[in-house]
Amino acid sequence: MACGGFMSAPVCFIENDEKGQLCVRKEAKDILDGLNEPVVVVSVVGLYRTGKSYLMNRLAGQQSGFALGSTIESKTKGIWMWCVPHPNKEGHTLVLLDTEGLGDVEKGDEKHDTWIFCLAVLLSSSLVYNSLGVIDNTALEKLHYVTELTENIRVKAEVGQHEDESADFIRVFPSFVWAVRDFTLQLKKGDKPITSDDYLEGALELKQGSSPQTVQYNLPRSCLRNFFAVRKCFVFPRPASMESMWIMEELTEKELESKFLEQANTFCHYIYNNSKTKTVSGGRTITGTALGNLAEVYVEAIRSGNVPCLENAVVSLAKIQNVRAVEEALQLYVTELFNLVQLPMNPEELSKIHTVAEKKAVEVFISVSFNDNDQIYQKELMGKIYDEYQQMCQQNYDASRMQCEEVLHDVFDTLEKGISDRSYLKPGGSQKYIDMLRQLSEEYRARTDSQIMSEAVLSKFLKTKEDIGNMILQADQSLNAAEQEKEGTIQISCTLLYHSIN
Ligand SMILES: Nc1nc2c(ncn2[C@@H]2O[C@H](COP(=O)(O)OP(=O)(O)O)[C@@H](O)[C@H]2O)c(=O)[nH]1
Ligand SMILES: [Mg+2]
C-alpha cells in the first residue's frame, strides 16, 4: 500500500476506539513514520454529504479514493488520510485529510464533531470548509464549531487570567478556504461583478450594535475574521445532472459541467500553489513523521480530558522526535561501523571510519530532531557514539591481541621445543638461545607488521622468557666453569706427570 510514504488509497487516520474514544490508527501512524519529508496538510470539514470526499479525490488527482456516500448514510468516519506526492513542491508530500461529516443526526454526538473540527484545524496548513448552496446566516450558524475553538484549543502553555488567547490563533491557524458547492447565484453586488472572495468577505461583514441577536450574528463572522488570516472562497456550480451525481466517480471530465470543471481546477491549483508546508507553534516546518506524532499528542490530550495546547504539543513533539532522532542516528552509526570495520585493523583507519559514520549520524539526527535548541539530545547522541567507538577500539585491541598471540605460538614453537629438549643446556647454549629469540622476534615482527598489539604481545612474551633465559645463562656459565675446571685439572695432572717423568 505505502510506497516511500505514498499510498494507492486512503486509510483511516483517527477514529473512535471500542470505548468510543478517539485514537490514531496504527496503520496510518506507520505510514507517516516512514515519511521523512515536509508535509503540506489540507483538511476538509463541513456537513455530511456535501461532496467533501469527492473534492479531496480531485485534489489527489484521482477519480476515486476517499469513499463517497451516495446514500443518506455518510461514508466517512473519523478522519481519513491520503498521502500523495505534492504536484508542485518537489520533496514535499501532500497529506489530504477527509473528515466525517459534521452534524450527522444519526451519530448525534456534538462533542465528537467538535473534536474532529478541532483536529482538522490543528493538523492542517489549509482548512477547507465545504458547504452546499450559499453563504448565508444559516451556513454561518452551521459553522458554530469555529466559535467553540477558544474553549477547545489553547496556544500557550501558561495563560494569564484575563489574557485573550484568540489573538494568538491567527499566528498558528491554517489558511481558510470556503468551498461553496451547487452555487446557483450570480456573483454580483448591485450591477457590479464581484469575486468569490468579495462574496465571502461580504458575508463576513459585522453588524453594528450590541443586541443579543447582533452579538449572535457577529460571533461566527468575527471568529472567522479574527482566527484565520488568509481567507479564500471558491464557488462551484452543480457538477452534473441530478441523476449523474449518484455516479460521480464514474463520470469522465467530459461528462462534468465545464464551469464546474473550471472551478475545480482553479481550486486545486490554488491549493497546490498556496497551501504552506505545515508548521507548528514556533514556526518550524514538520515532516510526515512529526505529523503522526503531533496527531498522537493532540488525540492523547483529548482522551485525557485536556484541551489540546499548541505550545505543550511542540514540547511533547520535540521529546518524541528527539528520542527517535538519537535512536536512528545511533543505529546508522553502528550499522555503518559494522559494515565497514574489519577487526583487527589499523587504528587510524578505524578512526577515519568512525569520523565519517559520526558525520552521517549527526546529519540523520539533524534531519529527524526537532527544537533541540540546547543540544541536549545531540550531546546525548555524541556521548553514545563515543561509547560505541571506545568499545570498538577495545574490540580492535582484543582482536589484534588474539591474532598476534596465534602468530607468536606459531613462530616461537621451535624455541619452546628447544627449551623442552634441553637443547640450550650446553656450553654456548645461552648465546644460541639469545640468537634464536632475536631471530624469531624478527620473524614474528615481520608477520605482525600492521598489528597494533604486535609489540605489546611480544614484550609480554619476552618477559615470560626472562627466567628461562637466566637459567640457561647460569647453566651455561656453570657448564663452562666445570669444563674449564676439568681442563685445568688435566693440565695440572699433565704438568705433574711431566715433572715426575723428568
Ligand atoms: N450536489 C452535489 N453532489 C455532489 C457534488 N460532488 C459530489 N457529489 C455527490 O454527493 C454525494 C456525497 O459526496 P461525498 O463526497 O461522499 O460527500 P461527503 O459526505 O461530504 O464526503 C455523492 O453521491 C457524490 O457523488 C457536488 O458538487 N454537488
Ligand atoms: Mg465523505
Side-chain angles (χ1 to χ4, degrees), residues 71-89:
T71 60
I72 294 292
E73 182 203 5
S74 61
K75 272 278 178 195
T76 319
K77 298 275 179 240
I79 300 180
W80 281 65
M81 174 187 89
W82 201 355
C83 302
V84 295
H86 196 288
N88 292 10
K89 287 189 179 157

Side-chain angles (χ1 to χ4, degrees), residues 232-350:
K232 190 85 191 146
C233 177
F234 291 90
V235 293
F236 300 77
R238 266 184 203 280
S241 67
M242 281 305 265
E243 306 79 61
S244 306
M245 275 194 292
W246 310 133
I247 49 157
M248 285 272 283
E249 276 172 316
E250 291 157 37
L251 299 185
T252 61
E253 302 264 294
K254 275 192 193 140
E255 288 165 304
L256 291 170
E257 287 293 332
S258 63
K259 281 254 157 11
F260 172 84
L261 201 55
E262 200 181 291
Q263 272 303 301
N265 288 340
T266 316
F267 165 80
C268 288
H269 283 110
Y270 172 80
I271 294 286
Y272 299 152
N273 292 330
N274 296 283
S275 278
K276 300 236 164 25
T277 308
K278 172 71 184 154
T279 56
V280 283
S281 195
R284 265 205 64 160
T285 60
I286 61 165
T287 61
T289 318
L291 180 69
N293 291 329
L294 194 63
E296 281 199 329
V297 170
Y298 285 139
V299 165
E300 193 42 50
I302 297 170
R303 281 174 75 101
S304 46
N306 295 321
V307 172
C309 167
L310 278 93
E311 250 179 36
N312 285 345
V314 172
V315 174
S316 307
L317 184 62
K319 193 166 173 208
I320 298 170
Q321 292 278 127
N322 291 334
V323 167
R324 182 180 159 153
V326 171
E327 267 170 25
E328 279 187 18
L330 189 66
Q331 185 58 50
L332 180 115
Y333 174 82
V334 171
T335 313
E336 194 86 346
L337 241 59
F338 185 78
N339 288 341
L340 298 175
V341 159
Q342 271 193 327
L343 299 184
M345 68 191 302
N346 183 327
E348 268 178 37
E349 288 298 313
L350 179 57

Side-chain angles (χ1 to χ4, degrees), residues 45-47 102 117 121 127-131 135-149 176-178 200 204 219-221 223-224 228:
V45 288
L47 297 195
L102 305 170
F117 186 82
V121 170
L127 178 78
V128 180
Y129 181 68
N130 191 73
S131 74
I135 305 180
D136 56 10
N137 202 36
T138 320
L140 276 152
E141 275 174 358
K142 282 180 183 154
L143 189 44
H144 60 90
Y145 304 96
V146 78
T147 65
E148 294 155 17
L149 288 172
F176 180 86
V177 180
W178 195 318
L200 171 63
L204 298 185
L219 188 61
R221 291 169 174 80
C223 285
L224 279 176
F228 300 96

Side-chain angles (χ1 to χ4, degrees), residues 53 67 76 98:
S53 300
T76 319
D98 185 21

Side-chain angles (χ1 to χ4, degrees), residues 147-166:
T147 65
E148 294 155 17
L149 288 172
T150 43
E151 292 153 41
N152 296 318
I153 291 179
R154 271 174 42 208
V155 177
K156 291 182 184 151
E158 279 168 38
V159 191
Q161 236 186 355
H162 302 293
E163 207 178 325
D164 177 15
E165 269 217 299
S166 58

